[in-house]
Amino acid sequence: MARRGPHFYGNRRCEPVARVPCHADSNHALGCYTNAAFMTPRYCEVALPVPLRSTFTYAVPATLNGETLIGRRLIVPFRNRPMIGVGLAESDRAPDVSHKSHIREIAELMDPLPALSPKLVELGQWISRYYLAPIGESLRAMLPPEIEIRHDREYSLTDAGLVYLQDLSANGENTDVESAEREFLSRFDRERSASSTSVNRWPGGETVAEVLARRGYLKAREIVRHRKARMQKIVAWNPANAESTGSAAEAKLRTILAATRGPLPLTMLAEKAGVSRSVILQLAKKRHLLTWEEPVTPDEDTWDTDFTAPANVLNAEQNAALGEIWRWFLTGEFATGLLYGVTGSGKTEVYLGAIEAAISRGKTAIVLVPEIALTLWVGRLVRARFGKGVAVLHSGLPDIERAREWWRVRRGEAQVIVGTRSAVFAPIENLGLIIVDEEQESSYKQEETPRYNGRDTAVYRAYLEGAVALLGSATPSLETYRNVHAKKYRLLTLASRVENRPLAEVRIVDLREEFRRQHRAAPVSEALRTAIALRLEEKTQAMVLINRRGYSWSLLCRGCGALVQCQNCSIALTYHKSRQRLECHYCGYSIRPPKQCPMCRGEHMYFVGDGAERVEEYLREQFVKARIARLDRDTVRTKHEYQQVLGAFASGEIDVLVGTQMVAKGHDFQRVTLVGVVAADLALSRPDFRAAEHTFQLLTQVAGRAGRGELSGEVLVETYYPEHYAIQYAARQDYLSFYEKEAHFRRVLHYPPFAALATVLVRHSKVENAIRWSRALGSYFAPFEKQGVKILGPAAAPLARLRREYRFQFVLKSPHRSALAQALGGCLDFCASKEIPDTAVVIDIDPTSLS
Ligand code: ADP
Ligand code: ZN
């Protein structure tokens, strides 16, 4: 039964038994036990966050009788350490008689209620199957951050350690090292053990402890500790002591405590009253004040309280779309709709109306947005409309805050969730609606295990829960629009901008022409420079998109033609002038720019290709008086900084905003009359079947940022390929023609959405291994050609080396998803049989790109 014997898991004596697959549909899954069951031993299948595809069987201790374990977070011993897993199925049959005596027990239940509802457990199992991800890792992606416990090590003296200590003590002539060890070991006596926190305070600390443990004198054990809530001192007036000291400090404290009508945390009181802590504590000692301890509650979230949402009266198109959505709710069945609306057509209002429809039917809703910054933007609108029952979930929140929101949702205190990709797993019940805004965005695809697509997962979740999935976009992905054609998705269209504002005028700047005329290449074209000058004069705003970070793309040796490359990756390093570094955007490797070529020692080194940093500098040189800011991952690192820059731009404190694609999305600035796109065709040169689609989407999105207010807008697109259809159709903002043309190519070349696609990457730090394993896999895949799976590769991956690993890639395509699934299904077992490590093989189902 087990495809891998227990020997696979190392230490055989006390290992849990692995079972493949897990039986979540077992009859005992619901934990309904009678008294008779009290005597029979019970077992539970547990999914653990380890890169193994099996689940693990544990015995259920009698203390947990009557508890539901499915979907529950459990602490169990795994190898030498405790680990948090999720209960998947219960049974009273021992899994495998020969191992029965070694089955270990569940140590603890973590939460009073199951973290995952049965529907979410089912969704996790689907993720695991569809994306070929280990079940434990799939479920972990759905759980809240583990803030309640921390891992710790505990050391105790072994018999050998005791003998060694006695030897050292008997021998009068210890070396320095030996005396230190004697000193260290003598802190243990036979019974007492010490945790790493206390060991860390001893001379030598945990390093010495680890050395002694390796030599067998100490035994180390992993433990989990429940984190205590952080406490704070609370101060209140003592009503029993009416006597006054007459001091000024006391008067101030009285005023503050009276004004706030209640006890205050010590630090806050001290700050508000401008009185030192020690003075307050003195007064407490004299019993004029009372103090006690309370757990620190994290700060309440900082929603702008003065925000008022625009009161828009829906137009005919919006009303028609919404009417349709109401009808879907009336049937009470699963449905997927595409809200296809040009930029500025007011899709957000339709989302809000759809949420209202869900809530009015007693249901809940999830709104997914493609990036963290938009959770604030959209969250604010939703909060203004639906009040306190709105929760925000995204990975940018500190763990404590995220866990708090997560549990608030789990307890049913929220009706609407706004969040990024992982919010598709929000533990909300009674789900009626999932909205996926900008459904085409590749940020919905997780690029680590489990490699799920949040949009597709949203549709599947809606299906499981009998809910409505509403995908919104001005530039729908080919997959989604194809599903409309195939009548799987229903189409809602907003064809014009609100108040019939015209779409911005798009002008293509032919850079070849420009060069012929100017005989030099400036970071932005003369046409764009003039257009910006005009905006500065008429005091409106401009945005400049340049989809490359840094100052120069690379450093080139004119002598030998080599680009300065990363030591760990096959990629040219990017020059960042402000930091005076050449940096790798993949692994973070960085060096000072060399004066000489590392290859040929030549001295003619040139920076080539202008990035956002250079464009900003150039504009500052050209427009000395203008207020210019840059928005990219180098200038804003936190959500707060991001908000600050965008806020300043929105309120007109900035004239020109230069940025990477961060500026392209979603935002609604009223005074932007010019959008310039520098090097618009950058993406077109990528060896990727989605290159044209991504270019079209980016250009259309960014063009949609112009002319959203009363003022009309203009867009300048700089390119070397003005005749490319992606650029031509984007300039006309003609999605349907683009779709037709692109769909034609995809059909002919057998790419999605007309074929199912997957990549298999084989990677290893030793190139021989990477080659050997990819050859082996090649022969494994070969027979599937006959079943209609086209296999390309193994070939060097587009990024042939990354973080010191060599990478080879297969691309698998098939018109039939089931054939593809079959080829991939056995692939990991094949790898196991050939002792190819799991970590060396990365399977990506429905990848967003091939490079
Ligand atoms: P989209 O997401 O489709 O690009 P938004 O939802 O951001 O467009 O709406 C664009 C702008 O139009 C917003 O400022 C919004 O407040 C405004 N708006 C939406 N609906 C209406 C309406 N019916 N009448 C007037 N303004 C509207
Ligand atoms: Zn690198």
Side-chain angles (χ1 to χ4, degrees):
M1 153 231 54
R3 281 182 249 178
R4 290 169 171 167
H7 62 275
F8 190 82
Y9 303 97
N11 182 359
R12 181 176 195 156
R13 275 170 301 121
C14 51
E15 271 311 304
V17 180
R19 297 185 79 192
V20 184
C22 50
H23 304 287
D25 51 355
S26 120
N27 288 335
H28 303 275
L30 295 175
C32 44
Y33 286 90
T34 57
N35 277 337
F38 195 73
M39 303 310 289
T40 24
R42 287 163 64 210
Y43 301 93
C44 183
E45 290 298 305
V46 179
L48 291 171
V50 290
L52 299 172
R53 285 170 302 136
S54 46
T55 57
F56 300 87
T57 308
Y58 286 85
V60 180
T63 47
L64 299 185
N65 264 331
E67 295 274 7
T68 306
L69 300 177
I70 314 297
R72 209 73 187 265
R73 290 198 302 171
L74 315 162
I75 301 182
V76 296
F78 183 75
R79 296 199 176 145
N80 290 320
R81 51 177 299 220
M83 203 179 257
I84 296 182
V86 178
L88 279 186
E90 291 176 60
S91 147
D92 47 19
R93 249 188 334 196
D96 181 336
V97 182
S98 63
H99 293 291
K100 204 163 148 188
S101 54
H102 306 309
I103 295 176
R104 297 160 86 182
E105 279 195 344
I106 294 170
E108 225 178 297
L109 285 187
M110 284 198 52
D111 318 302
L113 80 168
L116 301 180
S117 65
K119 285 266 163 36
L120 281 182
V121 171
E122 205 179 334
L123 186 66
Q125 285 166 330
W126 175 78
I127 297 262
S128 170
R129 273 196 315 273
Y130 187 91
Y131 293 103
L132 296 174
I135 178 69
E137 294 193 312
S138 303
L139 292 178
R140 178 169 53 183
M142 310 173 88
L143 292 172
E146 294 173 5
I147 54 160
E148 304 85 349
I149 60 161
R150 61 191 164 84
H151 290 271
D152 204 352
R153 277 165 92 76
E154 200 170 69
Y155 298 93
S156 54
L157 197 60
T158 61
D159 289 344
L162 189 64
V163 172
Y164 182 60
L165 176 59
Q166 283 161 353
D167 281 357
L168 287 178
S169 311
N171 177 358
E173 291 168 23
N174 292 161
T175 63
D176 287 356
V177 173
E178 284 171 343
S179 334
E181 288 177 349
R182 192 190 59 212
E183 162 70 11
F184 201 91
L185 289 174
S186 58
R187 288 168 178 260
F188 292 92
D189 51 42
R190 290 233 72 174
E191 267 72 44
R192 258 207 11 240
S193 50
S195 71
S196 44
T197 7
S198 40
V199 164
N200 262 326
R201 286 195 292 269
W202 303 354
E206 221 179 333
T207 330
V208 173
E210 280 301 305
V211 169
L212 291 167
R214 259 197 309 262
R215 285 159 64 194
Y217 301 143
L218 289 179
K219 199 171 119 215
R221 185 168 86 88
E222 293 266 340
I223 49 169
V224 288
R225 284 185 194 289
H226 289 260
R227 230 183 259 277
K228 282 203 215 74
R230 217 149 53 83
M231 302 299 271
Q232 61 182 353
K233 222 184 230 345
I234 304 290
V235 184
W237 205 253
N238 184 359
N241 190 346
E243 214 177 293
S244 166
T245 59
S247 74
E250 189 197 321
K252 274 191 231 160
L253 292 169
R254 261 187 197 281
T255 324
I256 298 288
L257 286 171
T260 56
R261 291 210 174 73
L264 281 180
L266 174 59
T267 27
M268 195 188 286
L269 179 63
E271 192 186 318
K272 277 189 193 268
V275 172
S276 80
R277 295 164 58 103
S278 58
V279 170
I280 299 178
L281 292 176
Q282 274 300 322
L283 284 167
K285 214 165 175 184
K286 292 191 203 132
R287 314 238 3 108
H288 290 285
L289 296 172
L290 296 176
T291 68
W292 64 90
E293 300 275 324
E294 269 181 20
V296 178
T297 46
D299 294 341
E300 271 300 313
D301 53 6
T302 48
W303 297 90
D304 313 9
T305 40
D306 55 354
F307 175 75
T308 38
N312 293 318
V313 180
L314 297 197
N315 60 32
E317 279 189 328
Q318 287 169 321
N319 267 325
L322 209 48
E324 231 353 80
I325 295 171
W326 274 89
R327 275 191 286 284
W328 301 346
F329 276 113
L330 283 182
T331 68
E333 280 166 19
F334 162 64
T336 305
L338 166 66
L339 177 63
Y340 162 55
V342 298
T343 54
S345 58
K347 291 186 284 295
T348 318
E349 288 291 344
V350 179
Y351 298 155
L352 293 172
I355 297 170
E356 201 163 355
I359 289 181
S360 77
R361 303 192 63 79
K363 300 275 190 173
T364 59
I366 297 176
V367 184
L368 299 182
V369 292
E371 56 178 277
I372 293 174
L374 290 174
T375 57
L376 280 142
W377 194 268
V378 176
R380 218 164 53 156
L381 284 168
V382 177
R383 177 73 68 109
R385 185 89 154 246
F386 302 101
K388 281 249 171 248
V390 179
V392 171
L393 286 174
H394 61 75
S395 55
L397 295 171
D399 279 357
I400 300 247
E401 229 176 283
R402 193 151 63 91
R404 186 192 56 173
E405 283 290 88
W406 197 95
W407 282 106
R408 197 161 82 81
V409 173
R410 181 67 188 104
R411 287 192 303 268
E413 290 168 28
Q415 286 80 52
V416 188
I417 317 296
V418 178
T420 46
R421 183 177 62 221
S422 61
V424 71
F425 302 128
I428 199 163
E429 295 200 65
N430 204 12
L431 188 67
L433 173 71
I434 307 187
I435 292 168
V436 185
D437 184 30
E438 307 287 0
E439 62 84 27
Q440 80 287 352
E441 283 291 338
S442 45
S443 58
Y444 284 121
K445 181 78 198 298
Q446 172 145 305
E447 296 295 357
E448 58 191 61
T449 316
R451 294 170 182 266
Y452 67 95
N453 184 316
R455 172 199 62 211
D456 300 340
T457 306
V459 174
Y460 193 79
R461 183 167 182 190
Y463 161 73
L464 279 181
E465 313 226 17
V468 169
L470 183 62
L471 316 180
S473 179
T475 53
S477 64
L478 267 86
E479 282 81 354
T480 295
Y481 210 75
R482 168 92 201 293
N483 279 329
V484 169
H485 272 214
K487 302 258 183 292
K488 282 193 199 154
Y489 295 177
R490 307 166 190 195
L491 179 65
L492 304 171
T493 306
L494 304 180
S496 46
R497 282 191 156 182
V498 293
E499 300 179 330
N500 290 318
R501 284 172 198 149
L503 282 168
E505 186 91 21
V506 180
R507 193 146 53 97
I508 295 178
V509 181
D510 184 343
L511 289 176
R512 298 168 303 188
E513 263 311 277
E514 170 95 13
F515 189 78
R516 245 172 266 141
R517 239 179 297 126
Q518 305 285 330
H519 293 289
R520 65 186 173 90
V524 309
S525 64
E526 188 49 32
L528 181 53
R529 203 191 64 83
T530 321
I532 294 173
L534 185 68
R535 284 358 185 251
L536 290 170
E537 221 162 89
E538 59 175 43
K539 299 208 178 333
T540 59
Q541 290 176 305
M543 279 169 111
V544 177
L545 174 86
I546 158 87
N547 215 1
R548 280 272 185 150
R549 285 199 292 138
Y551 192 85
S552 305
W553 306 350
S554 43
L555 181 56
L556 172 83
C557 169
R558 286 263 161 102
C560 70
L563 297 172
V564 180
Q565 292 229 342
C566 175
Q567 212 178 44
N568 311 318
C569 315
S570 51
I571 202 89
L573 296 173
T574 305
Y575 178 49
H576 290 260
K577 190 179 182 190
S578 61
R579 301 197 278 272
Q580 279 299 314
R581 304 295 283 180
L582 286 174
E583 294 179 5
C584 172
H585 287 178
Y586 288 88
C587 75
Y589 172 79
S590 88
I591 52 170
R592 282 194 147 276
K595 295 266 181 305
Q596 284 185 335
C597 172
M599 309 298 277
C600 74
R601 305 262 150 246
E603 300 202 333
H604 300 283
M605 303 298 286
Y606 284 85
F607 289 107
V608 287
D610 297 319
E613 196 182 354
R614 171 73 184 116
V615 169
E616 182 199 5
E617 183 190 77
Y618 176 78
L619 293 179
R620 282 184 195 278
E621 289 161 7
Q622 295 292 314
F623 307 111
V624 184
K625 291 217 183 93
R627 297 163 303 172
I628 298 173
R630 174 156 57 97
L631 189 71
D632 61 24
R633 260 188 292 145
D634 297 314
T635 55
V636 295
R637 294 193 175 267
T638 62
K639 96 183 164 193
H640 182 67
E641 287 174 339
Y642 188 97
Q643 281 303 103
Q644 266 183 337
V645 176
L646 284 187
F649 191 56
S651 65
E653 290 157 41
I654 293 170
D655 304 313
V656 183
L657 184 64
V658 179
T660 54
Q661 60 188 0
M662 268 181 159
V663 303
K665 286 171 205 156
H667 314 291
D668 192 26
F669 301 114
Q670 302 279 315
R671 294 190 59 78
V672 173
T673 58
L674 172 70
V675 171
V677 186
V678 177
D681 38 31
L682 262 181
L684 281 178
S685 54
R686 285 184 41 194
D688 195 306
F689 73 100
R690 281 191 220 267
E693 185 183 2
H694 284 157
T695 302
F696 176 83
Q697 286 166 345
L698 182 63
L699 292 183
T700 313
Q701 291 291 337
V702 76
R705 297 307 113 211
R708 292 174 73 90
E710 317 269 281
L711 308 160
S712 62
E714 183 189 31
V715 181
L716 287 192
V717 174
E718 297 182 352
T719 173
Y720 282 104
Y721 313 105
E723 53 291 304
H724 194 287
Y725 67 96
I727 291 181
Q728 286 291 334
Y729 288 131
R732 278 179 249 149
Q733 308 203 32
D734 182 354
Y735 172 76
L736 292 179
S737 302
F738 173 78
Y739 173 82
E740 290 303 332
K741 182 124 188 161
E742 182 69 12
H744 170 73
F745 288 134
R746 301 276 185 94
R747 195 180 282 120
V748 172
L749 298 173
H750 305 290
Y751 273 113
F754 302 97
L757 183 76
T759 57
V760 178
L761 185 82
V762 180
R763 57 179 186 189
H764 200 256
S765 54
K766 291 210 175 77
V767 70
E768 318 82 83
N769 283 344
I771 292 176
R772 192 155 43 86
W773 295 338
S774 47
R775 283 219 185 108
L777 262 176
S779 53
Y780 163 80
F781 283 131
F784 290 98
E785 289 259 14
K786 279 197 218 78
Q787 277 143 54
V789 182
K790 181 127 193 71
I791 292 139
L792 310 171
L799 200 58
R801 197 161 166 258
L802 178 66
R803 298 194 181 92
R804 293 177 172 272
E805 288 183 321
Y806 293 88
R807 296 145 53 92
F808 291 85
Q809 196 184 48
F810 293 92
V811 176
L812 279 72
K813 300 193 284 191
S814 177
H816 311 290
R817 189 168 281 282
S818 55
L820 186 69
Q822 214 169 25
L824 291 168
C827 154
L828 290 175
D829 287 325
F830 171 81
C831 291
S833 74
K834 294 282 173 211
E835 297 189 351
I836 302 173
D838 277 2
T839 47
V841 180
V842 181
I843 300 181
D844 197 348
I845 312 282
D846 306 338
T848 42
S849 89
L850 293 182
S851 55

